[in-house]
Amino acid sequence: MASDMERTALSANIGQLQSILKYLAANPSPVISNPPNCRKRASVALIIRIKPHPDHWPHQHGPSDCRRKSADSISDPSDEFFSLPWVQNGDPEVLFIKRATRARDRWGGHIALPGGRRDPGDESDQAVAVRETWEEVGIHLSPKNTIYVGNLPERVVSTSWGKVPLMRSEVGSAHWVSLSALLSPSLRTYEYCDVSDRLANRGNDVVRTFLRIIFGQMVCAAVKLMPSESQYSDIPLWLDLNDSATTGNPLTSLLQRLWTTDHAGSSNKDRPLLLWGLTLAIITDFLYLSPAYDALRLWAYPTLTPPDIRLMIWTMTYSFRRQKQLELHQLQTTSANPKLAIQALPNELNFGTGVTGRLMEGYYSLFKKAVVVSLIGRLSFGVGIATILWIRYKQ
C-alpha cells in the first residue's frame, strides 16, 4: 500500500500539473515570425501521461474512468479527468526520445522531444508535431486519445552563435520520465559539448582541433533523466555512415573519441541520459508555470572550461545575471500573475517569451565579448613572455 507521504506527493504533482495545463489553455503564447532569409520551422510535442499507481488502477473505478468526454474540459476547474481517483494517485510522466548517434551530427545522441521540421504539406505547427510524433515513436495524437492543451512560448533556434539551422535524425530510443524527477534539484548536473561544432560546422579536423585547444568545451546546464520505462528501436544507437569522420585521418578520429569521452557527441552507449540545451529550455518554460519550480535557483548559464575564459565570462556577465534575477524576482513579488507578466516584458532579441528566453536575452552578446577579451589577454601575455625571453637572449 502507498504511504501517506507518497500519496501526498503524487497528489501535489497532479494538482500542479492541472494548474499548468489550465494556464496554458487560457494563455496561448504568441506566434513568432520567421527571421529574415529563414523559412524553416519546426515543432515538437510535449507529451504527458498519467502512470497509475499499483493501488489505484483505472479498472478499479469503472471503465468510464479511462474516457474523456470533451477536449475542452481541461479549462474547467472541475475537470472530470483530474478528479478521477486513479489520476489523483497517479504519477505524471513526460516522453523524451534519444536520437541515434550519427557521425558529424551535432544532435546525434541528444535527448529531445518528438518532433521535427515543418513540411510544405503541413497545415500548422501543431500538425507538424502530430505527424512527427507518429513517425518517430508511433503515438497518434488524435482527439480521441489525447487532450490538446496549448502551446509553450515559441523561440528562434540559433546555433553557431547566430546561425539558425534546424536538423533532424533517427530515433534510437524513447523514455518516460516522471515529472517529480524533472523537478528534483538533486538530479541537476552539467553537460559538456564540443564547441568546435558551433564555430566550425564544416571545418576540417585541423581547424576543429585548433578550436578545441583554444576554447575547450562548453558547459551547459543539464538534468539527469531517470526513466521509469524505456523502449529501443531497431536502429542502432550509433550509425556508422562511412563519412569523413570515420574514414579520415585515424589520429584525428582517435582525438575525437578521447575529446568527447562520455559527453555530448560521444558514441559511448552507457553514458547517462542528460536533458540539456533547447529541450531543457522548453521543459524549463513548462515547469516554470509550477509554483514548486524555482527557475532562478536551478538555471545555470552556459560557459567554457578554460579557467581564464570561464572567469572572464563570469565577471563580465555578473551584473547581467544579477539584473535578470532581480527582474524575475520583482515580477514574482509584485505581480498578481508573475507567470503571465513575464510574457509582457520587451523582447528585442526574439529569444521567445518564456522564462529561459528572458534569462538568456542578451547573454551571448556579453559571452562573446568575454571570450574576445580573454583571447586578447592570452595574446598579450604570450607577447610579453616572448619579449622578456628575447631580451634575455640578446643579453
Side-chain angles (χ1 to χ4, degrees):
M1 299 293 290
S3 65
D4 292 339
M5 182 177 298
E6 182 182 3
R7 288 177 177 175
T8 301
L10 293 175
S11 179
N13 286 338
I14 293 296
Q16 293 173 14
L17 175 62
Q18 184 178 12
S19 299
I20 293 175
L21 299 184
K22 288 180 180 178
Y23 173 85
L24 290 175
N27 301 279
S29 298
V31 176
I32 293 181
S33 302
N34 285 31
N37 303 321
C38 180
R39 298 181 180 180
K40 299 177 182 178
R41 292 186 71 86
S43 300
V44 296
L46 201 167
I47 304 173
I48 302 174
R49 73 174 183 182
I50 306 298
K51 182 180 180 181
H53 191 275
D55 294 339
H56 296 273
W57 287 105
H59 64 79
Q60 295 177 346
H61 308 286
S64 62
D65 286 353
C66 299
R67 301 191 184 100
R68 178 185 49 80
K69 296 181 179 179
S70 171
D72 298 329
S73 64
I74 194 69
S75 60
D76 186 351
S78 60
D79 177 52
E80 180 181 357
F81 176 76
F82 282 96
S83 65
L84 297 175
W86 74 269
V87 175
Q88 287 289 328
N89 292 275
D91 187 15
E93 296 182 332
V94 179
L95 177 64
F96 294 98
I97 61 173
K98 181 178 181 180
R99 301 200 177 277
T101 302
R102 182 194 297 268
R104 287 296 175 89
D105 181 0
R106 71 178 63 181
W107 307 123
H110 289 192
I111 301 299
L113 297 171
R117 186 184 302 176
R118 181 169 180 171
D119 291 340
D122 293 321
E123 297 180 356
S124 63
D125 291 340
Q126 179 182 349
V128 179
V130 172
R131 174 180 57 79
E132 287 285 345
T133 299
W134 170 252
E135 293 176 358
E136 292 184 337
V137 294
I139 295 179
H140 189 200
L141 301 179
S142 65
K144 294 182 180 180
N145 54 27
T146 58
I147 303 175
Y148 173 76
V149 177
N151 63 302
L152 288 167
E154 297 184 359
R155 66 187 64 241
V156 174
V157 181
S158 60
T159 59
S160 299
W161 298 338
K163 299 180 181 178
V164 191
L166 291 172
M167 303 176 63
R168 55 184 293 187
S169 57
E170 289 81 356
V171 176
S173 57
H175 309 272
W176 288 101
V177 179
S178 172
L179 191 64
S180 301
L182 297 176
L183 290 168
S184 174
S186 63
L187 295 178
R188 293 280 157 166
T189 183
Y190 296 95
E191 176 65 294
Y192 295 81
C193 58
D194 190 354
V195 73
S196 69
D197 284 340
R198 295 172 176 263
L199 299 179
N201 185 30
R202 300 183 182 276
N204 57 38
D205 293 323
V206 175
V207 174
R208 289 174 175 271
T209 302
F210 180 72
L211 291 174
R212 291 164 183 162
I213 294 174
I214 294 177
F215 297 107
Q217 293 178 310
M218 178 169 279
V219 185
C220 303
V223 177
K224 185 177 181 180
L225 299 184
M226 305 296 290
S228 64
E229 180 182 349
S230 299
Q231 293 184 357
Y232 297 87
S233 70
D234 296 332
I235 300 175
L237 290 182
W238 173 260
L239 298 181
D240 186 354
L241 301 182
N242 294 321
D243 62 5
S244 59
T246 56
T247 60
N249 190 320
L251 177 59
T252 56
S253 299
L254 175 62
L255 291 176
Q256 168 71 14
R257 292 193 297 270
L258 293 176
W259 182 261
T260 56
T261 59
D262 63 343
H263 300 148
S266 171
S267 59
N268 183 0
K269 300 181 180 62
D270 298 325
R271 69 186 302 269
L273 297 173
L274 295 182
L275 174 65
W276 67 286
L278 175 61
T279 306
L280 177 58
I282 295 173
I283 295 299
T284 300
D285 286 345
F286 177 77
L287 296 178
Y288 177 70
L289 302 176
S290 169
Y293 186 78
D294 188 353
L296 296 178
R297 184 170 62 90
L298 295 178
W299 181 255
Y301 285 92
T303 186
L304 296 175
T305 52
D308 59 330
I309 299 182
R310 192 167 190 165
L311 177 60
M312 188 60 65
I313 292 175
W314 184 89
T315 302
M316 294 186 64
T317 62
Y318 179 80
S319 298
F320 168 88
R321 290 181 282 109
R322 288 287 297 171
Q323 182 62 32
K324 290 293 182 180
Q325 291 178 350
L326 291 176
E327 288 178 3
L328 292 185
H329 180 72
Q330 185 177 9
L331 282 176
Q332 293 175 343
T333 55
T334 62
S335 175
N337 193 338
K339 310 299 183 183
L340 182 60
I342 192 173
Q343 298 190 17
L345 294 176
N347 185 10
E348 299 176 355
L349 296 184
N350 213 18
F351 259 99
T353 53
V355 62
T356 54
R358 303 302 177 184
L359 289 172
M360 292 299 299
E361 184 181 6
Y363 177 77
Y364 277 118
S365 177
L366 295 174
F367 183 99
K368 289 185 286 187
K369 291 179 181 178
V371 171
V372 171
V373 172
S374 299
L375 295 181
I376 293 175
R378 288 182 179 182
L379 180 61
S380 301
F381 179 79
V383 171
I385 294 296
T387 302
I388 294 175
L389 294 176
W390 176 258
I391 294 174
R392 289 186 177 182
Y393 174 77
K394 286 295 186 179
Q395 292 177 349

